[in-house]
Amino acid sequence: MNAETVERAPRRYGMVIDLDRCSGCGACMVACSAENNVPPAHPQATERTGITLLRVVQVKDAASRGVAFIPMMCQQCGDDTPCMTVCPQQAVEVDKLTGVVEQMPQRCLGCRYCMTACPFQARFFNWWDPEWPAGMETTLNPGAAPRMRGVVEKCDFCQSRMHAAEDKAAMEGSREFEYTPACVEACPTRAIVFGDLNDPESDVSRQARNSFRFLERLGTGPKVYYRSRRPWLRTLASRVGAPPKKENGNG
Amino acid sequence: MLAAGWLLFPALLYTSTPQPAQFSHQAHGEAAGLTCDTCHGFTAEGRFAGIPTTESCAGCHSGLLGETESEKHFFANFVEPGREVNWLIYSRQPDNVRFSHARHVQVGKMECAECHGPHGESESLKAFERNRISGYSRDIWGPRMLRVGLKPGQGMKMDDCMACHRDRQVEAGCLGCHR
């Protein structure tokens, strides 16, 4: 066995979401929770303390009386990944083979610095141990281990599905495969395109060229792109989360 | 005192449970002429089938084939009532570990013994030892408390996966091995 036999071109997974196609139906959120074994919300859970790895947020524009829905998940920041740099446990890493920001519940101590650092509020803390109604455990996805109380979790572009695709390709003796995250598959209007941004010919690369990202100016290099013909959405994308006030020398 | 401690410690740390039935890989490999994949195959999706069901054993064991006590026990307790054997898996990893037999065996062309040692030729099953604290099988840590001179099949901690990967220049990220 030598190095060559195991070498594989690194991928850089990304998404393009067409906001003009999203009807806000929420099918992606349901598919996401089922795929990732997110338990039904605890009775005391609020929007911030419950777990929604993928959220569909409604936004409005007063001037044009426009309404839009924005599917928001971990934006898989590739540059100076904020959550990674603040983690005292090295429980967050950007995977060299896929570009996916990995969150390791095994190593997480629950300090939640990463949640504060995340400009997209795409990280969630397990305030309660997961509990499923009797009988529902049998429907769990064996490819995704449930997380326990006290750790942070987030979207990882459905690694469980990637693993399954990898295993299937392996049966044909191959290391090459493609896969589709649950939200992409569930979307009835095909608003989400997923693929390898390193491949200039992929749908996702082509569509990403004509798109924008949320909070692009922070320079965190998100790999989730958005499209819309509505100018107010572009403006919104650059504005959400008030920009930091000018640094104050007095602290 | 110290020596006694090292002898006593493993006994305190692990509980020991006999397997629900005996099984000889040797009897089935050579005598019955079976290859590993007849019992440990893959599904078309690349999922490792694991350990065979009683039904698949019953094809041959529809009646007693020999004289051994272990076969009588297996026949009377599992084949006749049609019950599954809850084999205790020595190499079972924690739930959050993702391990792909397909990737290692089908693509990597690795031998079972590189990770499992000589289990495929064993004549009988040792007792299953479970760590009282973590609940993990002792075969994850391995038989030697100081983890020196472990042979294949003796221990599969994260470091052991990593050590082999380092040797063979395999690059797996956290989420390659975890889920």
Side-chain angles (χ1 to χ4, degrees), chain B residues 80-108:
Chain B
E80 281 191 321
R83 276 174 54 210
E84 290 307 327
V85 189
N86 287 324
W87 301 106
L88 301 163
I89 312 288
Y90 303 110
S91 56
R92 177 62 71 235
Q93 291 285 347
D95 279 351
N96 56 30
V97 172
R98 172 260 178 168
F99 178 79
S100 166
H101 274 92
R103 187 65 198 271
H104 289 88
V105 176
Q106 303 287 338
V107 185

Side-chain angles (χ1 to χ4, degrees), chain A residues 20-51:
Chain A
D20 298 343
R21 283 188 175 218
C22 177
S23 64
C25 72
C28 53
M29 292 175 67
V30 176
C32 172
S33 295
E35 177 70 29
N36 292 295
N37 293 336
V38 175
H42 189 274
Q44 281 162 288
T46 66
E47 204 186 322
R48 277 313 288 161
T49 58
I51 293 183

